[in-house]
Amino acid sequence: MHQAPKIEDKMKNFSLALSIIMLLVLFVTNSFWEVEAKACKPNGKIRGKKPPPKKCNKENHSVCCVEGKLYPTYNCSTPVTHHTKAYLTLNSFEKNGDGGGPSECDKKFHSDDIPIVALSTGWFNKKGRCFNNITISGNGRKVKAMVVDECDSTKGCDEAHDYQPPCNNNIVDASKAVWEALGVPSDDQGGLDITWSDA
């Protein structure tokens, strides 16, 4: 004669299933935070040099190197996720702008009226993101922008970098078109906490 499962057996099976689900949730959550928290530490320092006269374009709130100051360098950035935390800065990609030389991806200058960006060295990935679009979220809006340049985190304070310090490892350096698409008033453009992802 077939007996119906006992209530105790059903409860044991339910408890076991619930425990497995809880362990999976903890594992996935822990993995997410591990990726977010993975440290990218400086790999060196550069000593600042005073820019020669008429060097270091201060357009767009650019900072010039200070004589003797030590600036950290990075060859890495945090891993890219669907919501990679970053700091948005303002950059000119035009000739004689504060971006210095031509863009790293194609050795050309670009109009600031199109949504384009430079990424910190780790995210730039040795030109691996050249001409790819990324999605930037900030100020309650989203915008797509094309990667055309590197915001060099390994070098700076020299003529090639317009006597500006190395970029931090969390920078998305954007044209004014990106800032306008995010709805940031021109007086407030220059620095903004954002998230970004590959489009």
Side-chain angles (χ1 to χ4, degrees), residues 187-198:
D187 289 347
D188 296 332
Q189 294 176 7
L192 181 69
D193 289 320
I194 58 154
T195 60
W196 73 275
S197 63
D198 291 310

Side-chain angles (χ1 to χ4, degrees), residues 51-184:
K54 298 187 180 178
K55 296 290 183 177
C56 190
N57 185 334
K58 293 185 181 180
E59 177 186 20
N60 299 324
H61 313 287
S62 291
V63 175
C64 299
C65 291
V66 174
E67 181 75 37
K69 182 174 179 179
L70 291 176
Y71 297 94
T73 59
Y74 299 86
N75 57 13
C76 59
S77 294
T78 57
V80 175
T81 66
H82 292 296
H83 302 286
T84 310
K85 291 180 182 178
Y87 191 68
L88 190 71
T89 54
L90 179 60
N91 183 55
S92 175
F93 295 85
E94 296 180 352
K95 191 168 186 176
N96 300 318
D98 68 324
S103 294
E104 189 65 27
C105 290
D106 58 6
K107 304 299 181 198
K108 294 180 181 175
F109 293 100
H110 297 271
S111 169
D112 293 332
D113 295 326
I114 56 175
I116 51 178
V117 297
L119 297 177
S120 292
T121 297
W123 292 333
F124 188 66
N125 194 25
K126 299 177 183 169
K127 296 188 179 182
R129 285 197 167 85
C130 277
F131 308 115
N132 291 351
N133 285 329
I134 65 170
T135 302
I136 299 167
S137 301
N139 198 40
R141 295 190 185 181
K142 288 186 179 187
V143 62
K144 281 195 170 117
M146 186 191 314
V147 178
V148 297
D149 203 0
E150 174 183 15
C151 194
D152 200 336
S153 306
T154 64
K155 299 175 191 152
C157 299
D158 57 12
E159 188 169 1
H161 298 88
D162 196 36
Y163 294 93
Q164 295 175 25
C167 283
N168 284 331
N169 65 339
N170 66 337
I171 299 296
V172 176
D173 208 13
S175 64
K176 70 177 180 181
V178 171
W179 286 87
E180 288 168 359
L182 291 174
V184 178

Side-chain angles (χ1 to χ4, degrees), residues 15-26:
S15 293
L16 181 62
L18 189 60
S19 296
I20 290 171
I21 290 170
M22 291 291 287
L23 284 172
L24 283 172
V25 167
L26 284 171

